[in-house]
Structures are given as structure tokens and as C-alpha cells.
Amino acid sequence: MQANVVKNAPFTRMNPFPGKILKNIDLNGEGSNKETRHLEISLEGSGLSYVPGDALGIYPENDPELVAALIDLMKWDADAPVAINKDGETLPLKEALTKHFDITNLSRKIVQEAANFTESADLKGLVEDAAQLREYLNGRDLLDLLQDFGPWSASAEDITALLRRMTPRLYSIASSIDAHPNEVHLTIGAVRYTAHGRERKGVCSVQCAERVNEGDTLPVFVQPNKMFYLPESKDTDIIMVGPGTGIAPFRSFIEERAVTKAEGKSWLFFGDQHVASDFLYKEELEKYQEDGVLTKLDTAFSRDTDQKVYVQHKMLENGKEIFEWLDNGAYFYVCGDRLYMAKDVNDALITIIEQEGKMSREDAEAYLENLSKEGRYQRDVY
């Protein structure tokens, strides 16, 4: 996606604002296995605004090393123009691969169509076996495809014509605009892992970690989230469960409640690996607790104990009080990992309702379902 700014037009998903980076720091301490970036971005002159719970969209750029590896492998001309849309608009190949095309995700369709440009029997066999193809697609990118099969009788434009456009990455906003006028803050965990014999990097997260410096700009837009929001009444109690980067929207919630002098109680469950290196926003949170903005703070650091302790375990330890808060009208929020954490927290919450409410599992599930319908159980999971 080209971040061409249309002057005098509102800044939107299709016309992102070039937000200047004011601050980019690593929140993790020495010895951490993680790298979590705190970004502060200027919205000055954008006309953009947001409320706690909203997300910020970023149009990222692909890793220049990955782009160079593709061009080198295929012996393409980096400056050759390639079409980037049906209107015939072109960009030099290197720029198109960097800014416009998604080169890190393969789809069934891309692999099927690529098979037309090679005599590779292996690729043709792969395309005909749905289960094998599905397995191949998992964790592989365009460079894998071009390296694994071939020789290719395809021009750069033949290949780029198969690719999808770069999509923006959405991150929960970690600030209150009332606390930080004309700014938006993000909490981004850098994604790095090894798969299929190669180091892999999250497109946007590692760009922010490695290649975005103070003074640079990122193309951004605000994405409202109508499903994740603070209660209308400032007197309502809130319980927030946000381990790791799931802390982001709750920093926003807490800042907002500090500015608006909300009377409702607030309770945060936070977890990560090590207290010494992974307690994100520790000083801020402890100060909010000291000031009475944050009523309760419970933490779980899984690698600091013989038996791994997670946020759901801390919830179960506090089941009686959690149920009292819920029964008195509290809102319950979860943000973070969809695959494991959110499911475990949901199960723990049902157990708490079942035990403390002295009801059957079925009735406890119905109670939680009702909270959800009332907008009092909200999840922002990914």
C-alpha cells in the first residue's frame, strides 16, 4: 500500500496519515526473551481522534532483506516497472515488493496459479493434494515457493500479478487522547521465529522494532472498535485481564479513568515471563495503584516459579471477589492471545461463576452469555 497522502482530504484507511514517531523504546529489561516496543506517534494536524478501545492501523513495509533475496533469486531488474492495480498504475519492482505487495503470506490460489509457470512435477503434485497443500502453506512465504520449485518461466510481472495487496496491521491503542493530546501510543511485540529452516519476522512488528526511528513517519489511521469500550458510567467497576501486549488497551482505559477522575473501581490482571524483565509499564501501573486510580493489581510471571502461573490461576485465587464485582455490575475485559489465553480465561471465569454463584456449569455459562449480551463481557483477542 502506497502511503500517498491526499491533501485536504480526511485521513482514513484509504488515505493514511504520515504519523511522526516521537518515541520508540524497548519495554523489556536485560535478559528478556522478548522485545516489546512502546511507540508514541504524533497525530498533530491529522484531525484524527480515538476513544479507549479503538485500534490504530499501520501500513507496513516488507523487510528489505527479504525483498532483495527475491529479486536476487529470480535475477529480476529491481527498477523494472510492474503494474500494481487494474488501472495500469506502475511502480519500480523493488518499491512495489517493499510497499505494495504481500510477500509473506501464501494462499492456495497463489500456489495453484504459480504452477502454470513451471514444469515442476513436485509443485503440480502439491497442488493436486489439498491436505499437503494446506500443510505447505502454513508458515511459508513467496521466497519459499520460488526456492522450492522451478525453474520458473515467469517475469516479475507474472509473479506480482498473483500477489495480494499489503494489508494494514491493527494494534490496540495504548493511550488516552485526553492524557496525551495529538498523540497515539502503541505496545507492539516483535515477532521473530524460525520455521522451515529460515528466520521469520513479523512484517510490521519487526519494522517497528528494527527500522523505525524517532523522526520517521508511519502511514496510520484510526480503526474504531465498537465491541470494546469503557462503560458509559464512570462509577462502574471494571476488571481487565491483559497479559503481555494485551496490556495495551488497559493502559488506555486506566489513563482515561485517571483524567476523568472516574469513581468506579478498577482491577488489572497482568502476566508475562519474568518480573525483572517483562513487567510492562511497571512504574506507571504501581503509581496508578498508589494514587488510587487502579484499585487492584494482580500479576503472574510464569517463568519465575517452578510451576507456571498464568493470569487465569490468579483469577481463580480471587474468585470470590471477582464474582462479587460481577454481581455488583462490573464489566469484565480480556485482551491478548486468542488461541490459549482467552480460552483459559473464559474457562476460569465460568468456573468462578459456577463455584461462587453456586450454580451448575450450564447456568454459569448462561450467566456469562448474559454478561456478553449486556456488553459487560468484552474481548479483544488476536
Side-chain angles (χ1 to χ4, degrees):
M1 166 78 190
Q2 282 293 88
N4 292 335
V5 175
V6 181
K7 290 190 175 166
N8 304 322
F11 292 106
T12 62
R13 185 187 183 100
M14 297 315 295
N15 183 39
F17 174 72
K20 185 180 177 183
I21 307 299
L22 304 172
K23 205 179 270 188
N24 184 353
I25 58 172
D26 186 356
L27 292 174
N28 296 98
E30 199 177 330
S32 177
N33 296 320
K34 299 183 173 188
E35 183 180 356
T36 311
R37 308 304 298 193
H38 171 80
L39 265 69
E40 299 185 3
I41 302 170
S42 173
L43 295 179
E44 193 144 3
S46 68
L48 292 173
S49 190
Y50 58 87
V51 296
D54 286 349
L56 192 78
I58 299 177
Y59 280 101
E61 293 187 1
N62 284 309
D63 183 348
E65 289 180 8
L66 181 58
V67 170
L70 281 167
I71 291 171
D72 185 53
L73 174 73
M74 299 298 285
K75 298 183 170 47
W76 285 332
D77 176 358
D79 299 319
V82 292
I84 58 167
N85 55 34
K86 288 175 182 167
D87 299 334
E89 190 184 344
T90 65
L91 280 176
L93 175 64
K94 183 180 174 183
E95 188 180 349
L97 289 174
T98 301
K99 297 181 178 180
H100 188 83
F101 290 113
D102 179 352
I103 59 175
T104 57
N105 293 296
L106 291 176
S107 68
R108 180 187 298 274
K109 187 172 180 226
I110 290 169
V111 177
Q112 286 170 336
E113 292 184 359
N116 297 322
F117 296 106
T118 176
E119 296 301 312
S120 168
D122 288 344
L123 182 54
K124 295 192 188 312
L126 183 67
V127 164
E128 285 162 14
D129 186 326
Q132 258 198 313
L133 178 54
R134 191 163 55 247
E135 191 181 324
Y136 181 81
L137 294 174
N138 187 27
R140 287 188 172 89
D141 61 18
L142 181 62
L143 183 60
D144 292 308
L145 179 68
L146 296 178
Q147 280 177 333
D148 292 347
F149 307 102
W152 298 94
S153 55
S155 66
E157 195 147 65
D158 288 333
I159 298 297
T160 55
L162 307 180
L163 303 177
R164 296 171 292 194
R165 289 179 66 170
M166 178 78 84
T167 54
R169 280 27 177 200
L170 297 176
Y171 295 99
S172 300
I173 290 173
S175 55
S176 157
I177 204 161
D178 292 328
H180 307 279
N182 289 318
E183 288 182 17
V184 61
H185 299 179
L186 300 176
T187 311
I188 300 177
V191 176
R192 299 185 181 91
Y193 58 98
T194 302
H196 310 298
R198 271 180 48 217
E199 294 290 317
R200 313 282 165 161
K201 298 177 179 182
V203 177
C204 192
S205 68
V206 174
Q207 180 188 356
C208 289
E210 295 181 357
R211 305 192 303 279
V212 172
N213 301 308
E214 290 174 17
D216 292 345
T217 62
L218 283 171
V220 301
F221 62 92
V222 172
Q223 179 71 43
N225 185 354
K226 305 292 185 196
M227 307 304 290
F228 204 77
Y229 51 85
L230 277 168
E232 274 183 43
S233 169
K234 296 179 180 59
D235 297 335
T236 304
D237 299 338
I238 59 173
I239 303 170
M240 304 163 282
V241 180
T245 54
I247 186 70
F250 303 134
R251 182 176 184 263
S252 165
F253 281 18
I254 295 162
E255 284 190 348
E256 181 78 3
R257 286 203 142 195
V259 171
T260 59
K261 297 183 167 44
E263 292 293 316
K265 294 183 295 183
S266 58
W267 189 351
L268 174 67
F269 289 86
F270 174 76
D272 215 312
Q273 292 188 350
H274 300 284
V275 67
S277 58
D278 304 316
F279 195 163
L280 309 182
Y281 302 114
K282 178 178 187 286
E283 289 77 14
E284 282 183 26
L285 294 172
E286 288 176 346
K287 182 77 169 68
Y288 281 127
Q289 198 177 10
E290 205 179 291
D291 295 346
V293 175
L294 186 57
T295 315
K296 288 176 73 76
L297 173 61
D298 278 277
T299 57
F301 293 97
S302 59
R303 306 291 170 87
D304 287 345
T305 47
D306 291 339
Q307 280 194 309
K308 289 185 178 174
V309 177
Y310 297 111
V311 284
Q312 65 269 21
H313 300 128
K314 289 292 179 180
M315 284 171 55
L316 290 165
E317 282 175 24
N318 290 274
K320 186 172 186 293
E321 196 172 353
I322 287 175
F323 186 71
E324 283 170 6
W325 281 45
L326 291 178
D327 232 26
N328 287 326
Y331 279 49
F332 192 99
Y333 301 90
V334 185
C335 181
D337 169 54
R338 177 195 299 270
L339 279 180
Y340 303 105
M341 184 278 297
K343 183 182 177 299
D344 291 340
V345 165
N346 189 76
D347 289 347
L349 197 50
I350 293 168
T351 298
I352 287 167
I353 295 163
E354 178 187 10
Q355 291 176 351
E356 301 302 331
K358 297 182 171 48
M359 57 183 88
S360 68
R361 191 80 180 172
E362 198 177 339
D363 287 346
E365 286 169 356
Y367 181 103
L368 191 56
E369 181 64 30
N370 196 49
L371 283 189
S372 196
K373 283 178 185 161
E374 290 174 2
R376 287 175 50 213
Y377 177 38
Q378 300 179 25
R379 303 180 350 142
D380 180 7
V381 296
Y382 40 83

